[in-house]
């Protein structure tokens, strides 16, 4: 399925499945957004931006709130330059994803499940959020995923997504099943004795030409 078909299908009534398997109907909205042009040898691979990007997301690290459904997880990592070893500070990292019902917050002032922050002096970033649900794109469920947009004045913009190991819908997804996505299919790790979940996603940017 190409991007035009994806955007077209995103405007149709679809279904979303929660992590508990409950199916609900939803309406999606699309908007034409250019693809990423990120290229290079030592770099995190790109992915589609999708139709649900919103600029000016809140600058914070904790995306959870009272009454939120879903499994809490920390999404964290370090952003490196194209030598793959030197961290970069002051990189803007934006993330967004759907809720457990497969719905994106496309219009509210709360910008739920959307956030941005800049990397610290060690190139590190971290968001506290939930594992997203799934939704139908045409006849196929998109695997659970989190969108990233990563920008820095001296480096190429990166638009990408991460997926999660063991997701049964990766194999049939037009984007997650691509060879270039393999390094972005990540394990969900029990990182301590209290059962807290974490996903480590280190990002490698190419310098601007």
């Amino acid at each position: 399925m190409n991007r035009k078909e994806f955007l077209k299908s995103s405007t149709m009534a679809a279904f979303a499945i929660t992590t508990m398997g409950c199916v609900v109907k939803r309406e999606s909205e699309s908007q034409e957004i250019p693809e990423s042009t990120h290229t290079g040898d030592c770099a995190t691979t790109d992915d589609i931006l999708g139709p649900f990007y919103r600029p000016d997301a809140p600058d914070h690290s904790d995306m959870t709130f009272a009454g939120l459904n879903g499994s809490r997880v920390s999404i964290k990592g370090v952003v490196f330059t194209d030598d793959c070893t030197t961290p970069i500070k002051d990189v803007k990292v934006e993330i967004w994803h759907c809720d457990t019902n497969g719905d994106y917050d496309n219009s509210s002032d709360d910008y739920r499940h959307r956030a941005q922050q800049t990397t610290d002096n060690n190139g590190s970033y971290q968001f506290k959020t939930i594992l997203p649900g799934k939704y139908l794109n045409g006849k196929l469920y998109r695997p659970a995923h989190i969108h990233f947009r990563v920008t820095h004045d001296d480096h190429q913009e990166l638009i990408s997504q991460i997926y999660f190991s063991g997701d049964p819908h990766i194999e049939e997804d037009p984007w997650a099943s691509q060879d270039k996505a393999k390094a972005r299919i990540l394990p969900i790790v029990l990182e301590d004795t209290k059962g807290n979940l974490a996903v480590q996603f280190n990002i490698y940017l190419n310098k601007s030409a």
Side-chain angles (χ1 to χ4, degrees), residues 63 65 68 95-99 111-115 129-130:
M63 301 162 65
F65 51 87
L68 175 63
I95 74 169
W96 66 101
H97 60 80
C98 66
D99 62 18
Y111 280 78
R112 289 185 172 177
H113 312 303
R114 299 174 183 271
T129 186
I130 58 167

Side-chain angles (χ1 to χ4, degrees), residues 42-73:
C42 180
T44 300
T45 55
D46 61 2
D47 207 320
I48 58 170
L49 183 64
F52 301 125
Y53 171 73
R54 292 179 67 188
D56 304 320
D59 187 353
H60 63 184
S61 60
D62 190 349
M63 301 162 65
T64 63
F65 51 87
L68 175 63
N69 294 322
S71 300
R72 269 60 169 177
V73 64

Side-chain angles (χ1 to χ4, degrees), residues 3 6 13 20 69 96 100 107 110 124 143 157 171 182 186 196:
R3 177 171 174 77
F6 171 72
M20 299 301 291
N69 294 322
W96 66 101
T100 55
S107 58
D110 295 325
S124 298
E157 176 186 68
E171 185 176 349
K182 287 182 178 179
L186 306 173
N196 291 315

Side-chain angles (χ1 to χ4, degrees), residues 146-158:
I146 296 177
H147 295 266
F148 278 75
R149 184 184 182 198
V150 186
T151 52
H152 185 265
D153 288 344
D154 297 329
H155 290 76
Q156 295 178 35
E157 176 186 68
L158 173 67

Side-chain angles (χ1 to χ4, degrees), residues 14 26 29 78 103 112 138 143 153 162 171 186 194 203 209:
R26 70 178 177 92
E29 295 180 357
V78 178
D103 292 319
R112 289 185 172 177
D153 288 344
I162 60 171
E171 185 176 349
L186 306 173
K194 297 181 180 179
I203 299 169

Side-chain angles (χ1 to χ4, degrees), residues 119-166:
T119 57
D120 62 18
N121 289 336
N122 298 313
S124 298
Y125 73 91
Q126 181 168 337
F127 296 94
K128 183 180 179 182
T129 186
I130 58 167
L131 293 173
K134 300 181 182 182
Y135 54 88
L136 275 173
N137 178 49
K139 296 182 178 180
L140 300 176
Y141 279 107
R142 287 230 67 208
H145 58 280
I146 296 177
H147 295 266
F148 278 75
R149 184 184 182 198
V150 186
T151 52
H152 185 265
D153 288 344
D154 297 329
H155 290 76
Q156 295 178 35
E157 176 186 68
L158 173 67
I159 294 169
S160 198
Q161 299 180 36
I162 60 171
Y163 306 96
F164 305 105
S165 301

